[in-house]
Amino acid sequence: MFTGPSTPTGNEQRVLTCAQLGHAPLRELLARYDLELVTVAAGEPIPGTWFGEPEAGVIANRIYVRPDTPIHSALHESGHYICMSPERRDGLHTDAGGGYDEENGVCYLQILLADELAGMGRARMWSDMDDWGYTYRLGSARRWFEEDAADARRWLLDEGLIDAHDAPTWRLRTSPD
């Protein structure tokens, strides 16, 4: 179970950023969902950020990042867009909202999407999520994913967002809230 961001851990500077990965791989991945990656200049405000800078922002089908935005944040906000109902997606601006099942699905999906990015992968995503301060009742993103996320996986399967092999289907959620 994901319980949300905690206080900073002091390890935030170790996470992989958009500048380190490069924008092209992220842009290509997000385009598969008709999401547009919008880059913001270093030091400029990030439109649509819910948690504050350097966290990614989301407005409609656009994900806003700066060079210092963590990849985990860009994939998390993208996951919200993918996992939300069409009605919420139509009015999306900053606050993705969503319930418990959706939030857990987003966290699970961002880990799977990390495997689609050369230089990231799920092991790095788990580490970055822990370093950033994501909190799980089992103490780490990896333990949650491997031991406690069956409900999140089931939700993604039921919504048609992943297949039986945990591969993204490259579809957006179509069911209502």
Side-chain angles (χ1 to χ4, degrees):
M1 173 180 87
F2 172 68
T3 58
S6 66
T7 56
T9 63
N11 296 321
E12 295 84 10
Q13 293 186 10
R14 295 193 322 204
V15 302
L16 187 66
T17 66
C18 290
Q20 292 166 320
L21 180 73
H23 293 109
L26 187 57
R27 183 172 281 115
E28 289 171 21
L29 175 77
L30 300 184
R32 297 184 77 174
Y33 289 104
D34 292 323
L35 277 162
E36 177 186 355
L37 184 70
V38 180
T39 56
V40 177
E44 293 296 316
I46 299 175
T49 183
W50 176 252
F51 288 107
E53 293 147 2
E55 298 273 2
V58 59
I59 301 172
N61 71 328
R62 294 178 305 280
I63 303 297
Y64 294 86
V65 299
R66 286 192 318 212
D68 61 339
T69 298
I71 295 298
H72 71 78
S73 177
L75 291 181
H76 190 86
E77 294 307 316
S78 300
H80 272 294
Y81 181 86
I82 295 161
C83 291
M84 67 178 47
S85 67
E87 298 80 15
R88 286 191 10 253
R89 199 177 300 118
D90 285 344
L92 180 57
H93 193 299
T94 308
D95 182 4
Y100 171 88
D101 290 337
E102 181 181 309
E103 186 65 38
N104 284 336
V106 166
C107 289
Y108 196 95
L109 182 61
Q110 82 184 73
I111 292 165
L112 297 180
L113 291 176
D115 282 340
E116 302 292 325
L117 292 171
M120 185 71 187
R122 71 179 57 185
R124 178 65 190 256
M125 178 60 78
W126 291 327
S127 173
D128 285 4
M129 291 168 81
D130 291 343
D131 285 347
W132 197 258
Y134 287 67
T135 57
Y136 296 91
R137 90 176 140 218
L138 295 182
S140 74
R142 181 179 185 159
R143 286 201 57 212
W144 169 77
F145 185 86
E146 293 180 343
E147 302 171 34
D148 193 35
D151 58 334
R153 182 177 184 274
R154 171 57 42 208
W155 187 86
L156 291 166
L157 282 165
D158 290 348
E159 294 294 338
L161 303 177
I162 62 171
D163 67 19
H165 303 287
D166 276 0
T169 60
W170 310 110
R171 291 185 223 136
L172 302 174
R173 179 178 166 196
T174 57
S175 65
D177 282 329

